[in-house]
Amino acid sequence: MPYDDLRSFLKTLEEQGQLLRITDEVLPEPDVAAAANAAARMGDNAPALYFDNVKGFTDARIAMNVHGSWANHALALGLPRETGTKDQIDEFIRRWAEFPVAPEWREDPPWAANTMTGADVDIFKVLPLVRLNDGDGGFYIDKAAVVSKDPDDPENSGKQNVGIYRIEVKGKARLALQPVPMHDIAQHLRKAEERGEDLPVAITLGNDPVISIVAATPMRYDENEYELAGALRGAPAPIAEAPLTGLPVPWGSEVVIEGVIEGRTREIEGPFGEFTGHYSGGRRMTVIRVDRISYRTDPIFEHLYLGMPWTEIDYLMAANTCVPLYQQLRADFPEVRAVNAMYTHGLVVIVSTATRYGGFAKAVGLRVLTTPHGLGYAATVIVVDEDVDPFNLPQVMWALSTRMNPEHDLVVVPNMPVMELAPQADTPGIVHKLIIDATTPARPDHRGNYGNQVRDLPEAAEWLTRLRELAARH
């Protein structure tokens, strides 16, 4: 059965040995974030963390590292915890084929139990806020799903957006949000400001695990995240109507914050330790006026530690970055076999493809740069042959070592767009991009000296199975 809220998923994580309850009293800083930082270093079976004894807070409940391992990610998709990375991505692709699955409207959402409105709004009374890194400019909400609609076409559910954006707490009823220009909410805001209007938003915290996955998925502008959630869940995603804005929000959220992004208002936001593993500096960003907070009794604050990869964000944005790129490339180039965009949200993309003719791999690389996600992220694209597994880095390095000639196989595309957080850009938002062709030259390209390639012996696969069975007995 799919999970309708965060609490049911946390229960499963605990039953599967994938949640640690920290019962000792901890300091809000640095203990909560430092523990999540440390948990990420435990590898592909790292557990989620649950804190309910935080010094200085009454009845604080904080969940960290919920998606922070391949084991937890597998359980979020309803798969066995031991499911491997490539198998999870293959299953993601299979379920994507069921997209779209319309969401299901439900009454009586649990977040409607308690309400703050108007002058009574005070986010500090609802959330046990803590800083994540010692250089952060303030408290952040960084794993919320933010819901908005296209002001020019508000009835078009395909153009609504559910996305994860960093949000700095500026006051008890005031937030700052960073809308990266390539993201849908930035387009919504631009249209609202052109109309001279504010943009209504609903910020939902503590969501079921699939909502967090789809909110971090780089979908096309007119694709609905709730419809993808239904495909991944194998059942319609439950949603409810936010009482103030009327926006569709997850039924099972812990907290729903409603308000508006104030048109043409900007304030300094940052610094913040980002998913790039670097701090971003202070910038003038949009401001949200909070008008209503709805929340469950004793809400769980789900927080997300970001830092030097890999951390939870890298697991959260791994499969769901690979698959949209794979689908979009396959639509134009059916020869594409696999796409690995797991590294830093796809700043590096590795594509495995068959080759039609000379120069084909470079064309595939150029197409990556023009996908919706590639426009703002893919800074380096490595293209390898179909016999190279892009998820097997030793194989990728072998292809780079033996099939790439720097004289001919490096394509630099100057002055391309990139998200402003990319630290390698001299001018924020602009970078030269690189395509590396690490494929075997095909006719009419006759470069290199490629004889017969060494292949695995025909009996090797059978022996691999036998050896694994033997190893499992010891």
Side-chain angles (χ1 to χ4, degrees):
M1 291 291 291
Y3 307 100
D4 288 347
D5 61 6
L6 173 64
R7 298 185 185 202
S8 59
F9 183 52
L10 293 178
K11 181 179 179 182
T12 293
L13 290 178
E14 188 165 31
E15 291 170 348
Q16 293 289 322
Q18 286 299 129
L19 182 141
L20 291 180
R21 290 183 177 269
I22 313 299
T23 57
D24 296 343
E25 184 180 68
V26 299
L27 294 172
E29 297 179 19
D31 287 344
V32 172
N37 185 180
R41 304 296 181 245
M42 296 173 68
D44 289 347
N45 294 311
L49 307 178
Y50 186 85
F51 302 88
D52 58 7
N53 188 4
V54 183
K55 187 173 183 178
F57 290 97
T58 303
D59 296 328
R61 292 165 176 80
I62 303 175
M64 302 285 290
N65 211 51
V66 172
H67 291 79
S69 64
W70 282 115
N72 286 13
H73 188 273
L75 292 170
L77 295 176
L79 300 171
R81 62 186 294 274
E82 63 274 8
T83 306
T85 306
K86 187 65 166 58
D87 288 339
Q88 291 192 45
I89 292 173
D90 288 344
E91 179 64 14
F92 204 116
I93 292 171
R94 189 192 69 76
R95 295 186 190 185
W96 188 291
E98 303 300 318
F99 170 78
V101 175
E104 172 188 81
W105 289 92
R106 290 189 189 174
E107 301 294 331
D108 301 320
W111 46 258
N114 305 278
T115 300
M116 292 179 175
T117 59
D120 294 329
V121 167
D122 187 345
I123 200 167
F124 297 105
K125 292 182 179 179
V126 178
L127 300 176
L129 297 167
V130 299
R131 286 188 307 166
L132 294 169
N133 281 299
D134 52 12
D136 289 348
F139 298 128
Y140 274 83
I141 299 169
D142 63 345
K143 204 179 180 183
V146 183
V147 184
S148 59
K149 286 189 174 182
D150 185 327
D152 293 341
D153 197 5
E155 300 306 314
N156 187 332
S157 63
K159 294 182 180 179
Q160 76 183 25
N161 181 57
V162 184
I164 293 180
Y165 311 99
R166 76 188 214 191
I167 301 168
E168 184 177 3
V169 178
K170 306 283 286 187
K172 66 179 185 179
R174 199 165 183 81
L175 308 170
L177 180 143
Q178 178 173 258
V180 174
M182 296 80 181
H183 291 166
D184 292 353
I185 196 171
Q187 297 190 52
H188 291 177
L189 178 61
R190 175 181 56 78
K191 292 181 178 184
E193 291 186 325
E194 288 174 351
R195 297 162 62 101
E197 300 172 355
D198 297 333
L199 179 69
V201 292
I203 301 166
T204 69
L205 290 78
N207 298 302
D208 78 67
V210 169
I211 289 295
S212 295
I213 290 171
V214 299
T217 301
M219 301 178 69
R220 288 194 173 98
Y221 182 71
D222 59 354
E223 291 179 330
N224 184 299
E225 286 81 6
Y226 293 133
E227 293 178 346
L228 177 59
L232 295 180
R233 287 162 49 91
I239 59 175
E241 183 177 301
L244 181 63
T245 60
L247 290 166
V249 298
W251 177 86
S253 301
E254 294 286 318
V255 180
V256 175
I257 299 171
E258 296 179 84
V260 297
I261 300 179
E262 296 179 339
R264 303 190 183 279
T265 300
R266 303 291 188 272
E267 291 182 2
I268 293 295
E269 180 266 0
F272 183 60
E274 265 290 353
F275 71 94
T276 61
H278 296 78
Y279 285 100
S280 60
R283 294 185 175 95
R284 293 177 61 81
M285 290 296 166
T286 59
V287 176
I288 298 173
R289 185 191 72 233
V290 178
D291 297 317
R292 182 185 181 106
I293 302 178
S294 305
Y295 57 99
R296 296 180 72 156
T297 300
D298 298 327
I300 299 171
F301 177 37
E302 188 186 6
H303 217 353
L304 174 72
Y305 177 77
L306 302 89
M308 178 70 177
W310 273 47
T311 66
E312 182 183 359
I313 190 70
D314 299 289
Y315 292 99
L316 180 61
M317 300 191 304
N320 57 352
T321 304
C322 300
V323 176
L325 282 170
Y326 171 79
Q327 301 286 18
Q328 292 156 19
L329 290 176
R330 287 273 298 181
D332 297 321
F333 298 106
E335 292 83 1
V336 169
R337 298 292 183 258
V339 176
N340 181 353
M342 298 194 304
Y343 303 105
T344 323
H345 204 8
L347 284 174
V348 172
V349 178
I350 308 169
V351 181
S352 170
T353 184
T355 300
R356 292 187 212 169
Y357 35 70
F360 184 79
K362 295 179 177 66
V364 172
L366 287 168
R367 181 67 184 97
V368 172
L369 301 185
T370 58
T371 60
H373 190 69
L375 276 171
Y377 286 81
T380 301
V381 181
I382 303 169
V383 187
V384 297
D385 284 310
E386 62 181 318
D387 64 345
V388 175
D389 180 358
F391 296 94
N392 184 322
L393 292 188
Q395 289 189 15
V396 174
M397 293 306 297
W398 170 73
L400 286 173
S401 302
T402 64
R403 296 179 177 177
M404 188 273 292
N405 182 333
E407 182 180 2
H408 306 290
D409 294 328
L410 302 180
V411 179
V412 176
V413 186
N415 300 319
M416 291 288 285
V418 73
M419 57 155 195
E420 293 184 355
L421 297 176
Q424 65 265 53
D426 292 331
T427 300
I430 293 291
V431 73
H432 287 19
K433 295 192 173 183
L434 175 65
I435 298 169
I436 303 175
D437 182 353
T439 62
T440 305
R443 296 181 62 187
D445 186 351
H446 297 291
R447 295 177 295 111
N449 298 286
Y450 296 95
N452 291 327
Q453 183 181 320
V454 177
R455 305 287 182 181
D456 285 349
L457 293 171
E459 299 82 5
E462 179 183 349
W463 267 102
L464 178 60
T465 300
R466 290 176 63 181
L467 293 174
R468 283 174 173 166
E469 291 174 350
L470 286 171
R473 297 173 190 168
H474 293 283

